[in-house]
Amino acid sequence: MSVIGRGRRLARRVVRSTSVEWYSYWRAQPIRSGTVLFESFAGNGAACNPEALFRALLAAPDQQHRQLVWALAPGRGVELRREFRDHPRVRFVERDSAAYWRVLGTAGTLVNNATFPPAFARRDGQVYLNTWHGTPLKRMGFDEPDGATASANVLRNFLNATHLLSQSPMMTERMYRGSYRLTGVFQGEVLEVGYPRNDRTALSAQSGSTAATTTDAELRRTFRDRGFDVDGRAIVLYAPTWRGERFNRAEDDSLELAATADRLQAALDERGASALVIVRPHQIVAQAAEAVPALRQRLVPEDLPTNAVLAATDVLISDYSSIIVDFVATGRPIVLAHSDLATYATDRGLDVADDEWPGVRATTPDELADAVTAAVLRDPAAAPSAHDRALADLYVPRDDGHASERVLDAVFRPGAAQDGVVRLGTPTATRILLHIGALRDNGITTAAMNLLPRLADAGYDVTVTHPHFASRSSLRNRHRIDPRVRVLQRTGGMNGSKTVQVLRRAADLRADARAHARVPALRRLWDDEWRRCFGTAEFDVVVDFSGYAPFWAQLLLHAPSDPLSSVWLHNDIESEVDRLVGGRPTMRRSLRAMIALFGEFDHAVSVSPALSRRNAAQLGHRVRAHWTFARNLIDAGSVLTRSQVPMDTVLLEAQPPAEVDFVLPEWVADLRTPGDRRWFVSLGRLSPEKNHDRLLDAFALVAQTDPAARLLIVGDGPLRAHLEARVADLGIADVVVFTGTLPNPYPLLAAAECLVVSSNYEGQPMVILEAAVLGKAVVSTRFASAEDALPDGGIELVDLTPRGLADGMLAFLAGRVPPVSLDDEAYNSAAFAEFVAATTTREGVSAGSTVAGSAADGTVGGSTADGTATS
């Protein structure tokens, strides 16, 4: 990273650190119940539902005690600032300023149509109304590509809200229940009361004329004052949606907006249609549009509320924007600019059926010009149809001009009659939250991916959480998560003052397992972090399936309502504590803190019976925990399918994006058609516990006996350079291949004859299960949990020495080590029953037994701190 880049990153950290310090301070101060904070589109203006509710509160006789605060970005909301500059009940704060964090932390009521920043967490005693900004016609939330990442902060805000505003029952069903999967986790109320921003539009429509109300006349006068020639002319509003994929990577389509508007204006002028085309771009590109000279005489000023503009609009042109829904209620013509309908539906996705679109569809520039001209000239063919009027009942059944009052009743008037208040339903399925780690290419990730579909099939309400990340492997594995699973990515950083953070880190260093709950300041810190990440969501079961991060273990232990809790032990933990990487015990500090936390969970779950006995025996004198086990599941179908992918495809996909001159290695042809060559394969991270030094020493002995033997080492890690040098020193560089990490190693495993495992210790190696699915022979060192790596045995277990490993490999070459196999259906049925028992019952599974059948009955035993069985 350049010096400038490092400087910018440091500056961002300083700004965030300062903001967190301010926010943490004000969150501890008394809540000001009469203060209402309004924000729309991250402070980019005073608009939408928040602006309508702001004016309604100002005008309401019984709400005069409230102080109203607007959060605005620098230079935005100019007209509103001018209008209310001297108003005693109105003030403005700059978004992200110290004053902003003060109001966000202390205001009694919060109103937003999008999202507050990632640091935000609603306090007990605060009311948060999220109004959203329209009934979505395009896919949202989990329905859009990579929706969990795109919607991470949106989901946080929804789960922190006390009220969600809905324009219609359809919006509730499709958006809140469907796209964002809030049923069972959102604890607040949904207000199906219509959109306050449409009150002006609805009243204008009821008047029968766009020029009949004072509001419309004032708006036309405002247009004239801004240089728009609207006298005697119809107003045609062009308001397309935003075409970008992410809010932080918005595409600037301002030039295309200008070109389209100019073409339409020229067509209208040529055909004698007296109309003015004006443009309202999406908020994301509004600032860029202001810089385009060709748009300056067409651009609707940002301080004019969109729905006030709609009240004066004669014809609306849009594509996939929710503004279409708002305009349906007016009964005026709508023209759909759908030249890219098929492409947009494929790339972005649409959430409406073909017969749910109102208006006239145009697919070419000429069709668009014809349709708009016909609408301006009041051609009967362009008038809204009975079908369009029926759609108004679907989309805007309560946009009748009185939505603001209904919101005030529900949110600001305790005891008022409640109209249109619904809840998303109480949970009927067991709700499970699993932390699945950073989704690296490892056995933990594979085990999680195999487990999630089985949980969904069994009818559980499954949520996973993981940190936000950007590595290639993590991005790839994120897309492997079963689409039925709700994903709540942790975004943003932990709040809390520097003093409290020092206390937290000191407690971790001391491995003080109870400090997070015993010390009041730390208990508040962790409770606040749960609220920040998950809002008021509650779960019946929480599982730290990763099991390596004290941060996540402590966070899950602060889940409200005392859910059953389990932490996973994927390895021989005592051995992991002392594992050296680069001569340093890199995990000693974090794992000692984790060990101290094991006893805080209802179950400490190892991934095999033997491993559970070993972990209990080694750690039982340090922490009293309820030791149990649940073996990992295997997705045999995926392994078999992925093993059929051509090897050149697998190797090409593993190359960095910039690698354009990739040449297939010569060894690939030998592996495909080995002839008399005999291929062994090792899969795993190149790190000390895998002991590849032992493997190489053993293979050197094998190569001396059988020159046709070959060794394929799949994986990467901190020891790769050392191991490559070791191969050269042993004189076996011509018969050993290092492939690096492969997203799909199964074609190589399928092509080789024998899997070799040389580890000092393991949990339950997924690769042994995968080799069994592919019918491969397995030679493995006799690490502590090796005896039950496969349910029916068959592994050639050898001493943990180079000679022992070499003898096992030579035994395979001599035909004395047959392939292993796995009845994956029976195995998965038992393993899943073990998971259910270990997570949803108090007893768990005893380390000396295996649960049979497809479901656990909760009657099996667990084990105490010393590993002995209990009934």
Side-chain angles (χ1 to χ4, degrees), residues 107-136:
T109 306
L110 311 169
V111 181
N112 201 324
N113 76 339
T115 60
F116 289 115
F120 164 71
R122 183 181 63 81
R123 297 172 61 184
D124 288 335
Q126 284 185 314
V127 174
Y128 175 20
L129 168 64
N130 189 293
T131 72
W132 203 237
H133 47 270
T135 296

Side-chain angles (χ1 to χ4, degrees), residues 167-467:
Q167 202 166 10
S168 66
M170 185 206 73
M171 178 179 174
T172 302
E173 189 64 31
R174 292 189 182 178
M175 180 174 165
Y176 294 135
R177 284 197 175 100
S179 297
Y180 288 98
R181 302 180 192 171
L182 296 179
T183 301
V185 290
F186 176 65
Q187 304 297 315
E189 296 177 337
V190 176
L191 308 181
E192 288 181 354
V193 297
Y195 260 12
R197 73 184 189 186
N198 286 340
D199 285 351
R200 276 172 291 201
T201 309
L203 292 173
S204 172
Q206 292 166 13
S207 73
S209 168
T210 60
T213 67
T214 302
T215 301
D216 302 332
E218 289 176 351
L219 188 65
R220 283 180 172 266
R221 184 163 56 252
T222 300
F223 279 150
R224 285 194 297 272
D225 293 343
R226 305 290 179 89
F228 290 89
D229 181 13
V230 295
D231 289 337
R233 305 174 77 184
I235 293 178
V236 176
L237 176 63
Y238 178 39
T241 193
W242 167 57
R243 298 310 182 92
E245 295 178 355
R246 293 290 180 268
F247 285 110
N248 60 350
R249 297 203 313 265
E251 296 173 6
D252 179 9
D253 54 4
S254 303
L255 295 176
E256 180 60 30
L257 289 177
T260 301
D262 285 346
R263 283 196 303 269
L264 287 170
Q265 188 67 65
L268 288 167
D269 293 344
E270 289 173 3
R271 302 175 192 192
S274 180
L276 175 67
V277 178
I278 60 176
V279 178
R280 169 68 98 186
H282 191 281
Q283 285 285 335
I284 298 300
V285 295
Q287 194 166 2
E290 291 171 358
V292 178
L295 279 175
R296 286 175 187 160
Q297 294 306 309
R298 301 195 185 280
L299 208 59
V300 177
E302 61 92 11
D303 55 278
L304 291 181
T306 297
N307 291 77
V309 177
L310 287 182
T313 295
D314 295 280
V315 180
L316 173 69
I317 309 168
S318 190
D319 43 18
Y320 315 106
S321 170
S322 63
I323 198 173
I324 295 169
V325 174
D326 291 1
F327 201 67
V328 164
T330 68
R332 300 175 198 145
I334 298 171
V335 179
L336 304 173
H338 280 181
S339 60
D340 63 342
L341 177 62
T343 302
Y344 192 89
T346 300
D347 295 345
R348 181 62 172 81
L350 294 170
D351 201 31
V352 292
D354 199 57
D355 62 353
E356 292 178 335
W357 290 96
V360 177
R361 176 173 289 161
T363 59
T364 68
D366 287 343
E367 287 182 1
L368 184 62
D370 290 344
V372 173
T373 302
V376 170
L377 295 177
R378 300 182 182 274
D379 186 328
S385 64
H387 172 68
D388 293 340
R389 291 190 289 275
L391 288 178
D393 293 332
L394 175 69
Y395 288 124
V396 289
R398 307 210 68 186
D399 283 4
D400 55 5
H402 304 290
S404 294
E405 279 301 307
R406 288 191 288 267
V407 173
L408 295 193
D409 285 344
V411 178
F412 296 97
R413 293 175 177 139
Q418 299 290 301
D419 182 17
V421 177
V422 299
R423 290 188 176 271
L424 295 183
T426 56
T428 57
T430 300
R431 297 165 298 177
I432 298 181
L433 172 67
L434 300 98
H435 165 238
I436 56 176
L439 295 180
R440 298 184 178 94
D441 286 330
N442 57 29
I444 295 175
T445 298
T446 300
M449 297 304 138
N450 294 345
L451 171 65
L452 294 176
R454 188 70 178 243
L455 283 168
D457 288 343
Y460 289 93
D461 182 329
V462 188
T463 302
V464 300
T465 185
H466 58 76

Side-chain angles (χ1 to χ4, degrees), residues 42-94:
N44 282 313
C48 192
N49 292 307
E51 188 266 348
L53 290 171
F54 163 76
R55 293 184 182 275
L57 273 176
L58 271 182
D62 63 334
Q63 301 295 317
Q64 297 303 302
H65 62 287
R66 298 193 185 273
Q67 297 294 311
L68 312 184
V69 184
W70 267 103
L72 294 167
R76 314 304 290 182
V78 174
E79 289 301 316
L80 192 81
R81 293 175 193 263
R82 184 181 297 117
E83 181 181 355
F84 294 100
R85 179 173 50 205
D86 300 320
H87 199 290
R89 293 173 50 213
V90 178
R91 62 190 178 96
F92 303 90
V93 295
E94 184 177 310

Side-chain angles (χ1 to χ4, degrees), residues 694-706:
R694 177 191 294 140
L695 173 62
L696 295 178
D697 289 343
F699 190 74
L701 297 174
V702 171
Q704 290 174 7
T705 303
D706 189 342

Side-chain angles (χ1 to χ4, degrees), residues 33 115 161 204 237-238 244 267 392 412 425 469 496 499 505 518 534 545 552 556 667 669 728 753 776 802 827 832:
S33 60
T115 60
S204 172
L237 176 63
Y238 178 39
F412 296 97
F469 41 68
T499 301
R505 295 182 184 278
R518 186 187 70 251
F534 306 112
F545 195 76
W552 283 96
L556 294 185
W667 58 263
E753 293 182 74
K776 300 296 158 181
Y827 169 81
F832 184 68

Side-chain angles (χ1 to χ4, degrees), residues 694 757-759 779-783 796-808:
R694 177 191 294 140
V757 179
S758 57
S759 301
V779 174
S780 174
T781 50
R782 196 186 302 272
F783 50 84
E796 180 74 6
L797 295 176
V798 300
D799 293 340
L800 281 77
T801 64
R803 182 72 262 173
L805 196 58
D807 287 346

